[in-house]
Amino acid sequence: VQSVDFLIIGQGLAGSCLAVEFLKRDISFLVIDKINPNSASRAAAGLFNPITGKTMESTWRANEIFSALSEFYKSAELATGEKFLHTLPIYRPFLSADEPKKWQQSPHAFVTRAHTQSQYSTFINDDFGGLELNHCGFLDTNKFLSAVRRLLQQQNTLVEEDFIYEALDVNSGSYKNYVFKKAIFCDGTAANQNPFFSWLPIRKLKGETLQIQIALPQNILFNRGVFAVPMFEKNSFLIGSTYSHDTLPGNTEAGIEELSRKARILFKRDFSILSKNWGFRPTSPDRRPILGFHPENKKLYVFNGLGTKGVSLAPFFAVQLARHLQGQSELEPAVNIERFYSLYFKTQGQAKA
Ligand SMILES: Cc1cc2nc3c(=O)[nH]c(=O)nc-3n(C[C@H](O)[C@H](O)[C@H](O)COP(=O)(O)OP(=O)(O)OC[C@H]3O[C@@H](n4cnc5c(N)ncnc54)[C@H](O)[C@@H]3O)c2cc1C
């Protein structure tokens, strides 16, 4: 029998960032994970960008979250000896001559420059210029996850297998040959099948991507309609992503068509499709992560709901959760699972009726 303070179930971005933070804090833990190439974290493009959406507003808590991001992944690079964080500017072409005005009138910390002339006309359609953003880039998520996995293997803190929810004995705090104080579920959309947390409103948001061969620069990220992220080791680019409530696995004709059409609008260069991929993002109704303990059992925790922004949210909230578990700080109300407790008691009431 092996005794640990924490079991982490799932090694996506949530579980990996939490494990890295536990290592830093010298907390005893064990990760149980089975690799799934279509998990959100493996399918992700890995882009991070503090200004997003149609209205181009700063994302929630951008200042704190984006300064924590680079510090966290850089220290993970040191710990693993691998490079997976790529800080690069994003260039978003304007679609009309009016668009740059907004940015020229109100300067913004994350905007390097609002160009009113075309900058990259050999590669993309940017007749009206474009917005150059800073504090952006991408995380090579597969490389990050593999590097963390190797680190966990070296420390003997990884069990590579399917977690069997039914084998967890909550009362005694045991799972197979392991005894634990708390189990933290970082299981992404599998939470829907998790008997302890299936009442959580985690909804699958499907995303599709294409790996394409195209001649583009590798020192800037173009993003409008679609984005292209360099896949350095494969000498190609990843373009994405779609958003769909289709809950069936696999790529779709509609998804491939949408990405190809948007790529033809943005890029002037020909491209060929090398491969395609898809995954399900674990989203929450208020677009905030979900952290904290089960309404009836403080041994069971979740770290989920990272939605469309796992790369930037996971480090910040892994640190917050680790601090909370060590009694150093509270979970903030905006992410605390308590905001959904009424859903649990409703399902309990229905079960009893
Ligand atoms: C196509 C696509 C593009 C995206 N692009 C971006 C992007 O550019 N930027 C960004 O910030 N975010 C992006 N995202 C979102 C991001 O991927 C997610 O927010 C994030 O990966 C969620 O991480 P997670 O660890 O919560 O879940 P997951 O990645 O789903 O990880 C869960 C892990 O738990 C394991 N697991 C589950 N159940 C079990 C079990 N019973 N036994 C063993 N193991 C189990 C799974 O195998 C997996 O390893 C994208 C997502 C998709 C699908």
Side-chain angles (χ1 to χ4, degrees), residues 10 12-14 33-34 40-41 44-47 163 190 207 279 281 307-311:
L13 286 170
D33 178 83
K34 177 86 174 277
S41 305
L47 213 64
F163 181 84
R281 306 168 181 93
T308 60
K309 297 193 166 62
V311 171

Side-chain angles (χ1 to χ4, degrees), residues 9-15 32-36 39-48 161-163 165 186-190 205 207-209 227 241 278-282 303-304 306-312:
I9 297 105
Q11 194 235 326
L13 286 170
I32 302 176
D33 178 83
K34 177 86 174 277
I35 290 189
N36 168 3
S39 72
S41 305
R42 295 227 170 237
L47 213 64
F48 55 91
E161 63 178 39
D162 254 324
F163 181 84
Y165 296 99
C186 304
D187 48 356
T189 55
L205 183 62
E208 298 187 48
T209 60
F227 55 75
S241 305
W278 61 275
F280 292 122
R281 306 168 181 93
F303 180 14
N304 210 320
L306 296 179
T308 60
K309 297 193 166 62
V311 171
S312 53

Side-chain angles (χ1 to χ4, degrees), residues 336-349:
N336 199 314
I337 188 178
E338 284 173 6
R339 69 196 194 278
F340 297 120
Y341 277 0
S342 62
L343 295 176
Y344 173 76
F345 292 110
K346 241 183 244 165
T347 58
Q348 289 306 98

Side-chain angles (χ1 to χ4, degrees), residues 154 219 230:
Q154 286 158 13
N219 56 358

Side-chain angles (χ1 to χ4, degrees), residues 94-255:
F94 293 127
L95 299 181
S96 76
D98 282 339
E99 250 186 288
K101 285 181 193 151
K102 169 180 172 186
W103 300 101
Q104 282 157 340
Q105 282 153 10
S106 52
H108 197 293
F110 296 123
V111 174
T112 307
R113 220 175 132 182
H115 297 274
T116 51
Q117 310 274 314
S118 169
Q119 303 294 305
Y120 298 98
S121 62
T122 48
F123 301 111
I124 59 170
N125 289 304
D126 71 333
D127 292 351
F128 301 103
L131 199 63
E132 192 181 319
L133 301 170
N134 56 57
H135 282 76
C136 327
F138 73 97
L139 178 78
D140 185 334
T141 57
N142 279 289
K143 209 166 167 195
F144 170 64
L145 297 180
S146 301
V148 171
R149 212 170 173 86
R150 274 193 292 280
L151 192 63
L152 299 177
Q153 281 159 344
Q154 286 158 13
Q155 312 265 341
N156 266 322
T157 52
L158 179 71
V159 178
E160 300 188 64
E161 63 178 39
D162 254 324
F163 181 84
I164 310 297
Y165 296 99
E166 292 69 28
L168 185 90
D169 185 336
V170 185
N171 294 327
S172 63
S174 63
Y175 175 77
K176 296 190 177 173
N177 287 330
Y178 307 104
V179 178
F180 62 89
K181 292 192 181 130
K182 293 187 196 311
I184 306 168
F185 290 97
C186 304
D187 48 356
T189 55
N192 293 339
Q193 284 86 50
N194 179 330
F196 308 107
F197 287 105
S198 58
W199 52 273
L200 276 178
I202 290 178
R203 191 169 179 202
K204 290 176 172 177
L205 183 62
K206 188 172 178 176
E208 298 187 48
T209 60
L210 298 175
Q211 183 195 351
I212 64 170
Q213 194 85 60
I214 187 168
L216 291 180
Q218 293 193 330
N219 56 358
I220 189 146
L221 303 166
F222 297 128
N223 185 4
R224 185 111 207 201
V226 283
F227 55 75
V229 167
M231 300 176 88
F232 296 119
E233 277 153 29
K234 295 182 177 159
N235 199 21
S236 55
F237 286 81
L238 191 74
I239 63 166
S241 305
T242 60
Y243 297 86
S244 139
H245 286 293
D246 165 20
T247 54
L248 295 174
N251 284 95
T252 62
E253 282 301 318

